Amino acid sequence: MCGIVGLFLKDKTLEPKLGAMLSEMLISLSDRGPDSAGIAIYGAATGNEAKITVQSPKADRDFRGLDAELAKAIGAPVSVAVKSTHAVIRTTPDKVDAAREALQSLRPDIRIMGAGEAVEIYKEVGLPEAVVDRFDVRSMTGTHGIGHTRMATESAVTTMGAHPFSTGADQCLVHNGSLSNHNNVRRELVREGMTFETENDTEVAAAYLSNRMAHGKNLGEALEGTLFDLDGFFTFVVGTKNGFGVVRDPIACKPAVMAETDQYVAFGSEYRALTKLPGIDNARVWEPEPATVYFWEH
Amino acid sequence: MPKAQREQGHARVFDLGQQSLRELNQALHNLAPGSNETAWEVLNPKGSHSVAVGVDQPVSIDVRGSVGYYCAGMNDGAAITVHGSAGPGVGENMMSGSIVVKGDASQYAGATGRGGLLVIEGNASSRCGISMKGIDIVVHGNIGHMSAFMAQSGNLVVLGDAGDALGDSIYEARLFVRGKVESLGADCIAKEMRPEHIELLQGLLDRAGITGVKPSEFKRYGSARKLYNFNIDNADAY
C-alpha cells in the first residue's frame, strides 16, 4: 500500500492554502499506511536565504541555543524556527555545507531532513493527521508540495524511514511500491560518493535521481533513467525547487490518479485524495501511463 | 427517517456524505427477492471503496460521482451505473447483471468476472478483464497493458486501442479490438472473423447500446492453444 499525494500550483492565489490542501489530500489516504507520514512543502525561493530542516529526538536539548552556536561556527547569521521535533535553520545559501558540517559536531543527534532554498520537510512516525497537527502543516504556504503515508515494507518504522526522502538540494521524492535491486544500486551510488542514512529502498531512488542530476541530467531525464536502472514496483512523485514530476514503472500495479486544471496539477494514489480540490468536477482527470514521465515546472 | 433516506421520486436515495458505506451495502444486502425497492441512487461517493458490492437482487443503482476500489464487485443481477469514473477492480467477479461506467475505469476492470455485462464508456486501464471467466466487457475507449491476461471465457470488446501483451496466456475468451494493438501476449493470436463472430459482436454492441460501429471494423484475437498443457516443445513460448 502506502499513499502518496502531490500538488503543484499554477494559480498564485491558492499559495496561501497549499499546506491545508495538501494536508487534506494526505489525511484522506491514511488507511493506505499507518506507520509514518511526511510532507515536503516548497515555499518561494528568495535567492538570498537557504533553509535546512533538521530533526532531533531530543528537541528541547538540541535546539536550545543552536542559533547562536551555529552562527558563531559558520560566521554567518542563523535563525532557528522550532516546530515540535523539527526545526528550520535559515542562513545564507553559501553557508549550507558549512552549517551541515558544524551541526555534526555541535549536535551529533540531529538528523538533516532536507536542505535548499525552497523546501521544508516534516516527517514522523504516526498517522497523517497527527503529523499534520504536530507541525501545523495546514497553515503553511507555498508553490508545490508532496506527501506520503507509509506502510513499511522494506525497512524499519522510524522517523528517518519515513518519506519524503531528500538527497539533494531542494530535491525530494515519495514512493509507493518496493524496489528489488536497491542494494545493488546503493552500492554503485556509494562508489560514486553518495551517502545514505537508512536501509530504505526509497532513499536509493532519491539518491539515484540526485546523482543523475549531479551528472547534468534534468529531472525529466533522471526520471526516465529509473525505468531502466531501478527494478521493482514504483510510483514516484518528486519535487525540485521549481518542478514536480511523476513516473510509474512499466508494470504499473501501484495506483495513481492525476488531475489538472488551470489552477493546479494534482497527484493522488486514489481519486478520493482529489475530491476536495477546487474545480475537481471539471478537471481533466487521468491515470498516468506506465513507463511515462510527467513533469511540470514553474 | 433522515432526509437522505427519504424516497426521491421512485428511487431510494443514499447520501454517502451523511450515511456510511456500511449502511448502504447492508441495506442493499437486506433486499429480499421481490422487494419493491427496485431503484437506488447513491450520492457523494467521492472515491469511496466497495460501493454496492455483493448486490444479489435485480435492482437498478445509480451512483452519482466517481468511486474508488472494487465498486459493484460480485454483482449478481443488479443494473449498476457509475456516473463518474471507477477506481481499480470495478465489477470484479461479477456473476450477472450489468455495470456501466460513464467515465474511465482504473486497473483490472471486470477481473475474474463470470457473467453479466460491463460497459466502460471511457478508457479502461491495465489488466482489463484479467482472468475473465464468462463476463462480457465492452470498452468505448482504450485499454491498457496485460488486458485479458489468462482470460478463460467471455468476450472483451474494445472500440479503441489495446496496450502491450493483450491476451497473454489466454485460454478461450474472444477479444475484439477495433483500434491498434500494441503487442500480443504469449499464445494470443489474431483470428479470422467468421459470420458467427460478426453476429456475436453485433449482439454485444447492441447490448452495450453502441450504434454507428460495424463489427467488420474489428479484429478478433484469441488463443493459439499451444500452452494449455505443458509440452516441452513449447517451452520457449512460456
Side-chain angles (χ1 to χ4, degrees):
Chain A
M1 298 282 270
C2 290
I4 48 183
V5 295
L7 185 59
F8 178 83
L9 299 179
K10 301 184 202 171
D11 179 350
K12 282 190 173 302
T13 64
L14 287 177
E15 289 181 8
K17 294 182 190 158
L18 179 76
M21 291 162 82
L22 204 55
S23 296
E24 287 311 311
M25 291 170 75
L26 188 59
I27 288 167
S28 76
L29 297 183
S30 296
D31 58 10
R32 293 191 65 88
D35 294 328
S36 63
I39 210 153
I41 291 209
Y42 291 82
T46 61
N48 52 25
E49 185 183 72
K51 298 189 275 192
I52 307 171
T53 312
V54 296
Q55 184 268 358
S56 169
K58 293 192 172 145
D60 289 348
R61 180 200 65 191
D62 278 351
F63 297 153
R64 200 181 310 129
L66 180 62
D67 46 357
E69 288 178 60
L70 193 58
K72 193 176 161 204
I74 65 174
V78 167
S79 75
V80 175
V82 176
K83 272 189 185 181
S84 184
T85 54
H86 286 43
V88 177
I89 299 169
R90 287 180 166 78
T91 185
T92 51
D94 59 317
K95 292 291 183 185
V96 171
D97 289 340
R100 276 177 178 272
E101 219 164 288
L103 278 168
Q104 275 185 355
S105 53
L106 291 171
R107 299 287 192 276
D109 290 338
I110 273 185
R111 317 297 283 273
I112 293 171
M113 302 275 114
E117 291 181 30
V119 76
E120 292 179 28
I121 295 175
Y122 299 93
K123 60 186 193 181
E124 277 295 355
V125 295
L127 291 169
E129 185 149 31
V131 172
V132 159
D133 287 346
R134 185 170 196 167
F135 300 112
D136 195 20
V137 175
R138 287 188 186 86
S139 70
M140 294 182 73
T141 67
T143 53
H144 56 296
I146 62 178
H148 187 270
T149 184
R150 180 174 186 227
M151 181 173 281
T153 54
E154 291 288 312
S155 72
V157 179
T158 59
T159 301
M160 294 309 286
H163 305 209
F165 280 94
S166 179
T167 51
D170 281 317
Q171 294 166 18
C172 65
L173 175 148
V174 290
H175 170 208
N176 179 195
S178 56
L179 304 178
S180 48
N181 67 337
H182 62 102
N183 283 325
N184 267 340
V185 176
R186 186 187 289 109
R187 270 194 291 276
E188 285 164 17
L189 292 169
V190 165
R191 268 205 294 279
E192 296 206 21
M194 304 291 294
T195 56
F196 290 86
E197 300 261 3
T198 70
E199 295 297 310
N200 189 284
D201 57 338
T202 305
E203 189 182 11
V204 174
Y208 172 89
L209 293 179
S210 298
N211 179 266
R212 289 301 180 271
M213 285 189 272
H215 282 91
K217 306 262 190 226
N218 66 30
L219 177 59
E221 292 164 339
L223 286 171
E224 197 80 40
T226 63
L227 297 167
F228 302 96
D229 294 326
L230 299 183
D231 194 8
F233 299 119
F234 53 86
T235 297
F236 293 137
V237 177
V238 300
T240 63
K241 186 157 73 179
N242 58 350
F244 174 72
V246 173
V247 69
R248 301 170 83 195
D249 70 83
I251 306 282
C253 60
K254 294 298 174 185
V257 185
M258 302 200 68
E260 185 168 15
T261 70
D262 292 343
Q263 290 187 292
Y264 58 80
V265 178
F267 175 96
S269 290
E270 298 178 29
Y271 176 75
R272 62 192 164 126
L274 312 178
T275 54
K276 288 185 181 163
L277 292 173
I280 188 69
D281 289 338
N282 298 311
R284 183 170 82 92
V285 176
W286 78 101
E287 185 168 320
E289 294 285 331
T292 305
V293 173
Y294 297 81
F295 184 49
W296 289 263
E297 264 182 338
H298 275 126
Chain B
M1 186 181 284
K3 193 177 167 191
Q5 259 185 35
R6 234 183 294 149
E7 295 208 1
Q8 193 176 73
H10 295 293
R12 184 164 167 194
V13 179
F14 240 91
D15 185 350
L16 289 176
Q18 297 176 36
Q19 294 164 279
S20 72
L21 181 74
R22 192 168 289 242
E23 285 174 87
L24 167 67
N25 284 340
Q26 192 62 60
L28 290 167
H29 296 169
N30 288 346
L31 282 168
S35 165
N36 287 327
E37 292 180 315
T38 55
W40 294 67
E41 196 168 1
V42 180
L43 309 179
N44 294 310
K46 293 192 181 296
S48 299
H49 297 176
S50 310
V51 171
V53 156
V55 180
D56 64 356
Q57 296 300 321
V59 297
S60 75
I61 302 170
D62 284 280
V63 183
R64 306 282 176 191
S66 293
V67 294
Y69 281 72
Y70 304 123
C71 179
M74 300 178 282
N75 178 37
D76 196 0
I80 300 172
T81 305
V82 177
H83 299 268
S85 289
V90 63
E92 188 168 278
N93 209 64
M94 173 153 65
M95 303 302 286
S96 67
S98 68
I99 301 168
V100 177
V101 179
K102 294 284 182 184
D104 296 333
S106 185
Q107 310 179 81
Y108 45 95
T112 76
R114 288 175 176 270
L117 175 68
L118 170 62
V119 179
I120 293 152
E121 296 193 355
N123 300 310
S125 160
S126 58
R127 306 175 188 88
C128 181
I130 187 170
S131 196
M132 53 195 282
K133 298 178 172 84
I135 189 174
D136 293 322
I137 303 174
V138 180
V139 181
H140 288 218
N142 306 322
I143 58 172
H145 62 279
M146 293 297 276
S147 288
F149 174 55
M150 290 182 75
Q152 289 154 55
S153 76
N155 303 291
L156 172 62
V157 180
V158 183
L159 276 63
D161 303 332
D164 272 324
L166 176 69
D168 193 73
S169 304
I170 188 173
Y171 292 81
E172 283 303 309
R174 286 168 292 256
L175 317 179
F176 300 98
V177 183
R178 189 165 70 141
K180 71 177 196 314
V181 173
E182 198 68 39
S183 68
L184 293 172
D187 219 25
C188 185
I189 54 170
K191 291 188 160 182
E192 176 197 6
M193 280 284 262
R194 295 195 298 269
E196 68 260 36
H197 301 119
I198 297 280
E199 193 183 332
L200 170 75
L201 181 51
Q202 186 63 60
L204 287 161
L205 293 170
D206 291 346
R207 281 169 63 206
I210 291 169
T211 54
V213 173
K214 291 198 278 291
S216 57
E217 296 167 20
F218 291 75
K219 272 190 179 161
R220 180 169 72 101
Y221 302 88
S223 177
R225 298 170 182 150
K226 279 188 187 159
L227 305 182
Y228 268 35
N229 302 297
F230 183 74
N231 179 336
I232 192 67
D233 295 336
N234 295 327
D236 287 348
Y238 285 95

